[in-house]
Amino acid sequence: MSNLKLIYVVIDGMGDLPIKELGNRTPLQAAKTPHMDFLARNGKTGLMYTVGKGVAPESDVAVVSILGYDPFRYSVGRGVFEALGAGLNIKDGDLALRCNFATLGHGKEIVDRRAGRNLTTEEAEELSKAINEKVKLESHLADSEFRNTLGHRGVLIIRSKAKPLSSQITNTDPAYTRIKKLGVAEAEVEMFLRKCKPMDETEEAKISAELVNEFVEKSHSVLDKHEVNRRRVADGKLKANVILTRDAGNSTVRLFNINERYGFNFVCLADMPVERGISKLAGMHIVDLPPPSKDLAEDCMLRVKKLLNVLPLYDCFYVHIKGPDEPGHDGDFELKTRLIAMIDKHFLGSLLQRIRLEDCVICVTADHSTPCKIKAHSDDPVPVLIAGDKIEGDRVGGFSEEECGKGSLGVLKRGTELLPKLIELLKKTTSS
């Protein structure tokens, strides 16, 4: 085991575009980030397309890529990663889908894809229990299992009692489409519930689409009149009365073991099911973390504590912090700016006080951009910094999309390039 450590920090959705109200700066540029700026000035910087130019990736696709796996080869549908991360059993031929509780209005209009983003875990658990008790699939011989994960998020598994099911089906969630098995954000969307359709001519795809449509229709009937939603309406909140499905998968992917490939022991510190599921399949040790709370500062400090606890035991630490992605989706550039500053202060600031930079290679980047202007993931490149005692600095002005564009790393055309580069630096600085 190496004495030198790789700390690989991925800040979800941090990348953005200039915003007029912020003086034509991005939230990252506008945020107070002295610790990231320090690392950028004393390290190497650049920009990175996390999947590739022209691809606005979903989180699973981006994470697979920045962990060194070709997403066009290894992505099997986000539903599979989410199911594994949530602790559900899935076997080849089962159909797994990522889901959202959402608000369905008249004429199939989706009023809000996240039911106001204020669905509590307790409410989601009540609704999930009702779905599992009352929804019985009858169009084909199959059973369904639905599990809520965090907030409005959930996972659906449909298990056929006859033929294996197919993942070659479209999403009912209009915000995302599928290109070559990859989940991709739609640029311009009409917010109406879509029918699930087969993407090929096989009987398995036809049956799978019919089962998803049956589940969505029957679960809507259960949810729409549920007591939880009656209480929400009385409290002036939106109903969580429909399940949106996307990114179907029907087989568990065989990722290469990341520890064996690179010769270092990896550990994952992430709280969202999709990142945990991918890391588990990659062979990483998983550190248990509670779900994100309402207090990002506390969450960051807990992650520093957890990281320090396992620092002597492993070589490489993949840390995924959710923070800025949600306000990006909501178009809330002021909140996104504040959250980036909080991560800088309470995660990186706290961490740098407790470690020696000469003992580490630290990388800070994002899994994708979530520009506040478009309220969705985009294909814009994200900033990257790599710092450590023996890494010669670029002397850029700070950590931002604009400044990193001037760095010596240049523009990485694929996210798959980053981790091998980090491992090379780790081996080089360890041996020198």
Short mmCIF file of all heavy atoms in Angstrom, two decimals, residues 79-118:
data_model
loop_
_atom_site.label_atom_id
_atom_site.label_comp_id
_atom_site.label_asym_id
_atom_site.label_seq_id
_atom_site.Cartn_x
_atom_site.Cartn_y
_atom_site.Cartn_z
N GLY A 79 -31.04 2.58 -14.04
CA GLY A 79 -31.89 1.81 -13.13
C GLY A 79 -31.12 0.72 -12.41
O GLY A 79 -31.35 0.47 -11.22
N VAL A 80 -30.20 0.06 -13.11
CA VAL A 80 -29.43 -1.02 -12.50
C VAL A 80 -28.52 -0.49 -11.39
O VAL A 80 -28.48 -1.02 -10.28
CB VAL A 80 -28.60 -1.76 -13.57
CG1 VAL A 80 -27.62 -2.73 -12.92
CG2 VAL A 80 -29.51 -2.50 -14.55
N PHE A 81 -27.79 0.60 -11.69
CA PHE A 81 -26.90 1.19 -10.69
C PHE A 81 -27.69 1.68 -9.46
O PHE A 81 -27.27 1.51 -8.32
CB PHE A 81 -26.10 2.36 -11.28
CG PHE A 81 -25.16 1.97 -12.38
CD1 PHE A 81 -25.14 2.66 -13.59
CD2 PHE A 81 -24.29 0.90 -12.24
CE1 PHE A 81 -24.27 2.33 -14.61
CE2 PHE A 81 -23.41 0.54 -13.25
CZ PHE A 81 -23.40 1.27 -14.44
N GLU A 82 -28.83 2.30 -9.72
CA GLU A 82 -29.67 2.81 -8.62
C GLU A 82 -30.17 1.66 -7.75
O GLU A 82 -30.18 1.75 -6.52
CB GLU A 82 -30.86 3.58 -9.18
CG GLU A 82 -30.51 4.85 -9.92
CD GLU A 82 -30.51 6.09 -9.03
OE1 GLU A 82 -30.80 5.98 -7.83
OE2 GLU A 82 -30.20 7.18 -9.56
N ALA A 83 -30.60 0.58 -8.40
CA ALA A 83 -31.12 -0.56 -7.65
C ALA A 83 -30.05 -1.17 -6.76
O ALA A 83 -30.28 -1.47 -5.58
CB ALA A 83 -31.67 -1.61 -8.62
N LEU A 84 -28.85 -1.35 -7.31
CA LEU A 84 -27.75 -1.91 -6.53
C LEU A 84 -27.37 -0.98 -5.38
O LEU A 84 -27.11 -1.42 -4.26
CB LEU A 84 -26.55 -2.18 -7.42
CG LEU A 84 -26.72 -3.31 -8.44
CD1 LEU A 84 -25.60 -3.28 -9.45
CD2 LEU A 84 -26.77 -4.66 -7.73
N GLY A 85 -27.34 0.33 -5.65
CA GLY A 85 -27.01 1.30 -4.62
C GLY A 85 -28.04 1.36 -3.52
O GLY A 85 -27.72 1.70 -2.37
N ALA A 86 -29.29 1.03 -3.86
CA ALA A 86 -30.37 1.03 -2.87
C ALA A 86 -30.48 -0.32 -2.14
O ALA A 86 -31.35 -0.49 -1.28
CB ALA A 86 -31.70 1.35 -3.55
N GLY A 87 -29.63 -1.27 -2.49
CA GLY A 87 -29.62 -2.56 -1.81
C GLY A 87 -30.65 -3.54 -2.31
O GLY A 87 -30.96 -4.53 -1.63
N LEU A 88 -31.20 -3.32 -3.50
CA LEU A 88 -32.20 -4.23 -4.06
C LEU A 88 -31.53 -5.38 -4.80
O LEU A 88 -30.45 -5.22 -5.37
CB LEU A 88 -33.12 -3.47 -5.03
CG LEU A 88 -34.11 -2.50 -4.39
CD1 LEU A 88 -34.73 -1.61 -5.46
CD2 LEU A 88 -35.20 -3.24 -3.63
N ASN A 89 -32.18 -6.52 -4.81
CA ASN A 89 -31.68 -7.68 -5.55
C ASN A 89 -32.13 -7.58 -7.00
O ASN A 89 -33.31 -7.35 -7.27
CB ASN A 89 -32.20 -8.98 -4.94
CG ASN A 89 -31.62 -9.22 -3.56
OD1 ASN A 89 -30.43 -8.97 -3.32
ND2 ASN A 89 -32.44 -9.69 -2.63
N ILE A 90 -31.21 -7.75 -7.91
CA ILE A 90 -31.55 -7.73 -9.33
C ILE A 90 -30.74 -8.79 -10.04
O ILE A 90 -29.55 -8.98 -9.76
CB ILE A 90 -31.29 -6.33 -9.94
CG1 ILE A 90 -31.62 -6.33 -11.44
CG2 ILE A 90 -29.89 -5.83 -9.67
CD1 ILE A 90 -31.61 -4.96 -12.06
N LYS A 91 -31.38 -9.50 -10.95
CA LYS A 91 -30.67 -10.51 -11.74
C LYS A 91 -30.91 -10.24 -13.22
O LYS A 91 -31.83 -9.48 -13.58
CB LYS A 91 -31.12 -11.92 -11.35
CG LYS A 91 -32.55 -12.26 -11.68
CD LYS A 91 -32.86 -13.69 -11.27
CE LYS A 91 -34.20 -14.18 -11.79
NZ LYS A 91 -35.35 -13.39 -11.31
N ASP A 92 -30.09 -10.84 -14.06
CA ASP A 92 -30.25 -10.65 -15.51
C ASP A 92 -31.66 -11.05 -15.92
O ASP A 92 -32.17 -12.11 -15.53
CB ASP A 92 -29.23 -11.50 -16.27
CG ASP A 92 -27.81 -10.97 -16.13
OD1 ASP A 92 -27.65 -9.87 -15.57
OD2 ASP A 92 -26.87 -11.65 -16.56
N GLY A 93 -32.28 -10.18 -16.74
CA GLY A 93 -33.65 -10.42 -17.19
C GLY A 93 -34.68 -9.65 -16.40
O GLY A 93 -35.81 -9.48 -16.85
N ASP A 94 -34.31 -9.16 -15.20
CA ASP A 94 -35.17 -8.23 -14.47
C ASP A 94 -35.04 -6.85 -15.11
O ASP A 94 -34.00 -6.51 -15.68
CB ASP A 94 -34.77 -8.12 -12.99
CG ASP A 94 -35.00 -9.41 -12.22
OD1 ASP A 94 -35.75 -10.28 -12.72
OD2 ASP A 94 -34.44 -9.54 -11.11
N LEU A 95 -36.07 -6.05 -14.97
CA LEU A 95 -36.06 -4.69 -15.51
C LEU A 95 -35.97 -3.70 -14.36
O LEU A 95 -36.81 -3.71 -13.46
CB LEU A 95 -37.35 -4.45 -16.31
CG LEU A 95 -37.41 -3.18 -17.18
CD1 LEU A 95 -36.38 -3.25 -18.30
CD2 LEU A 95 -38.81 -3.00 -17.75
N ALA A 96 -34.93 -2.88 -14.36
CA ALA A 96 -34.73 -1.88 -13.31
C ALA A 96 -34.79 -0.48 -13.92
O ALA A 96 -34.19 -0.23 -14.97
CB ALA A 96 -33.37 -2.09 -12.63
N LEU A 97 -35.52 0.43 -13.26
CA LEU A 97 -35.69 1.78 -13.78
C LEU A 97 -35.50 2.81 -12.67
O LEU A 97 -35.97 2.61 -11.55
CB LEU A 97 -37.09 1.97 -14.39
CG LEU A 97 -37.47 1.00 -15.50
CD1 LEU A 97 -38.44 -0.05 -14.99
CD2 LEU A 97 -38.08 1.74 -16.68
N ARG A 98 -34.82 3.90 -12.99
CA ARG A 98 -34.75 5.05 -12.09
C ARG A 98 -36.10 5.77 -12.18
O ARG A 98 -36.67 5.91 -13.25
CB ARG A 98 -33.62 5.99 -12.50
CG ARG A 98 -33.72 7.43 -11.99
CD ARG A 98 -33.59 7.54 -10.47
NE ARG A 98 -34.11 8.82 -10.01
CZ ARG A 98 -33.39 9.92 -9.84
NH1 ARG A 98 -32.10 9.90 -10.09
NH2 ARG A 98 -33.95 11.03 -9.42
N CYS A 99 -36.59 6.24 -11.04
CA CYS A 99 -37.91 6.86 -10.99
C CYS A 99 -37.89 8.18 -10.22
O CYS A 99 -37.02 8.40 -9.38
CB CYS A 99 -38.92 5.94 -10.32
SG CYS A 99 -39.15 4.35 -11.15
N ASN A 100 -38.86 9.02 -10.52
CA ASN A 100 -39.17 10.21 -9.73
C ASN A 100 -40.64 10.17 -9.32
O ASN A 100 -41.49 9.83 -10.15
CB ASN A 100 -38.99 11.49 -10.55
CG ASN A 100 -37.58 12.02 -10.58
OD1 ASN A 100 -36.65 11.30 -10.27
ND2 ASN A 100 -37.43 13.27 -10.96
N PHE A 101 -40.94 10.55 -8.09
CA PHE A 101 -42.30 10.99 -7.77
C PHE A 101 -42.46 12.36 -8.42
O PHE A 101 -41.60 13.24 -8.27
CB PHE A 101 -42.48 11.15 -6.27
CG PHE A 101 -42.64 9.85 -5.52
CD1 PHE A 101 -41.58 9.31 -4.82
CD2 PHE A 101 -43.87 9.20 -5.48
CE1 PHE A 101 -41.71 8.13 -4.12
CE2 PHE A 101 -44.02 8.02 -4.77
CZ PHE A 101 -42.94 7.48 -4.08
N ALA A 102 -43.56 12.57 -9.13
CA ALA A 102 -43.80 13.84 -9.81
C ALA A 102 -45.26 14.25 -9.64
O ALA A 102 -46.07 13.51 -9.07
CB ALA A 102 -43.44 13.71 -11.29
N THR A 103 -45.59 15.44 -10.16
CA THR A 103 -46.96 15.96 -10.07
C THR A 103 -47.58 15.97 -11.46
O THR A 103 -47.08 16.65 -12.36
CB THR A 103 -46.95 17.39 -9.50
OG1 THR A 103 -46.26 17.39 -8.25
CG2 THR A 103 -48.38 17.89 -9.29
N LEU A 104 -48.65 15.20 -11.62
CA LEU A 104 -49.36 15.11 -12.90
C LEU A 104 -50.63 15.95 -12.83
O LEU A 104 -51.44 15.79 -11.91
CB LEU A 104 -49.71 13.65 -13.21
CG LEU A 104 -50.26 13.37 -14.61
CD1 LEU A 104 -49.21 13.62 -15.68
CD2 LEU A 104 -50.77 11.93 -14.70
N GLY A 105 -50.79 16.86 -13.79
CA GLY A 105 -51.98 17.70 -13.86
C GLY A 105 -52.95 17.20 -14.92
O GLY A 105 -52.96 16.01 -15.29
N HIS A 106 -53.74 18.11 -15.45
CA HIS A 106 -54.73 17.75 -16.47
C HIS A 106 -54.05 17.49 -17.81
O HIS A 106 -53.02 18.08 -18.13
CB HIS A 106 -55.77 18.86 -16.61
CG HIS A 106 -56.57 19.10 -15.37
ND1 HIS A 106 -57.44 18.16 -14.84
CD2 HIS A 106 -56.61 20.17 -14.52
CE1 HIS A 106 -58.00 18.63 -13.73
NE2 HIS A 106 -57.50 19.85 -13.52
N GLY A 107 -54.65 16.61 -18.58
CA GLY A 107 -54.15 16.36 -19.94
C GLY A 107 -52.75 15.82 -19.98
O GLY A 107 -52.00 16.10 -20.92
N LYS A 108 -52.37 15.03 -18.97
CA LYS A 108 -51.05 14.41 -18.89
C LYS A 108 -49.91 15.42 -18.72
O LYS A 108 -48.74 15.08 -18.90
CB LYS A 108 -50.76 13.54 -20.14
CG LYS A 108 -51.76 12.41 -20.36
CD LYS A 108 -51.68 11.37 -19.26
CE LYS A 108 -52.61 10.21 -19.54
NZ LYS A 108 -52.63 9.21 -18.45
N GLU A 109 -50.24 16.67 -18.37
CA GLU A 109 -49.19 17.67 -18.15
C GLU A 109 -48.45 17.37 -16.85
O GLU A 109 -49.07 17.11 -15.81
CB GLU A 109 -49.77 19.07 -18.09
CG GLU A 109 -48.69 20.14 -17.89
CD GLU A 109 -49.25 21.53 -17.71
OE1 GLU A 109 -50.49 21.68 -17.66
OE2 GLU A 109 -48.44 22.47 -17.59
N ILE A 110 -47.12 17.43 -16.91
CA ILE A 110 -46.32 17.27 -15.70
C ILE A 110 -46.07 18.67 -15.13
O ILE A 110 -45.34 19.48 -15.70
CB ILE A 110 -44.98 16.56 -16.00
CG1 ILE A 110 -45.27 15.15 -16.53
CG2 ILE A 110 -44.11 16.50 -14.76
CD1 ILE A 110 -44.06 14.45 -17.10
N VAL A 111 -46.72 18.92 -14.00
CA VAL A 111 -46.63 20.24 -13.36
C VAL A 111 -45.25 20.43 -12.74
O VAL A 111 -44.67 21.50 -12.80
CB VAL A 111 -47.73 20.38 -12.29
CG1 VAL A 111 -47.64 21.72 -11.57
CG2 VAL A 111 -49.12 20.21 -12.93
N ASP A 112 -44.72 19.35 -12.14
CA ASP A 112 -43.40 19.41 -11.52
C ASP A 112 -42.80 18.01 -11.53
O ASP A 112 -43.42 17.07 -11.03
CB ASP A 112 -43.49 19.93 -10.08
CG ASP A 112 -42.13 20.29 -9.50
OD1 ASP A 112 -41.27 19.41 -9.41
OD2 ASP A 112 -41.93 21.47 -9.12
N ARG A 113 -41.59 17.87 -12.09
CA ARG A 113 -40.95 16.56 -12.20
C ARG A 113 -40.51 16.00 -10.86
O ARG A 113 -40.18 14.83 -10.74
CB ARG A 113 -39.72 16.63 -13.10
CG ARG A 113 -39.99 16.75 -14.58
CD ARG A 113 -38.70 16.66 -15.40
NE ARG A 113 -38.00 15.42 -15.16
CZ ARG A 113 -36.90 15.30 -14.43
NH1 ARG A 113 -36.35 16.35 -13.83
NH2 ARG A 113 -36.32 14.12 -14.28
N ARG A 114 -40.47 16.85 -9.82
CA ARG A 114 -39.96 16.41 -8.51
C ARG A 114 -40.97 16.66 -7.40
O ARG A 114 -40.58 16.74 -6.23
CB ARG A 114 -38.63 17.10 -8.22
CG ARG A 114 -37.58 16.89 -9.31
CD ARG A 114 -36.33 17.71 -9.04
NE ARG A 114 -35.37 17.63 -10.14
CZ ARG A 114 -35.39 18.44 -11.21
NH1 ARG A 114 -36.30 19.38 -11.31
NH2 ARG A 114 -34.48 18.29 -12.16
N ALA A 115 -42.23 16.85 -7.76
CA ALA A 115 -43.30 17.07 -6.77
C ALA A 115 -42.96 18.20 -5.81
O ALA A 115 -43.15 18.10 -4.60
CB ALA A 115 -43.60 15.78 -6.01
N GLY A 116 -42.41 19.28 -6.35
CA GLY A 116 -42.07 20.44 -5.53
C GLY A 116 -40.76 20.32 -4.79
O GLY A 116 -40.39 21.20 -4.02
N ARG A 117 -40.07 19.22 -4.96
CA ARG A 117 -38.79 18.93 -4.30
C ARG A 117 -38.89 19.03 -2.78
O ARG A 117 -37.94 19.37 -2.09
CB ARG A 117 -37.69 19.87 -4.81
CG ARG A 117 -36.31 19.17 -4.82
CD ARG A 117 -35.18 20.15 -5.01
NE ARG A 117 -34.88 20.49 -6.36
CZ ARG A 117 -34.19 19.73 -7.21
NH1 ARG A 117 -33.77 18.56 -6.84
NH2 ARG A 117 -33.93 20.15 -8.43
N ASN A 118 -40.07 18.77 -2.24
CA ASN A 118 -40.23 18.83 -0.79
C ASN A 118 -40.91 17.59 -0.23
O ASN A 118 -41.47 17.61 0.87
CB ASN A 118 -41.01 20.09 -0.37
CG ASN A 118 -42.36 20.19 -1.07
OD1 ASN A 118 -42.85 19.24 -1.67
ND2 ASN A 118 -42.97 21.37 -1.00
#
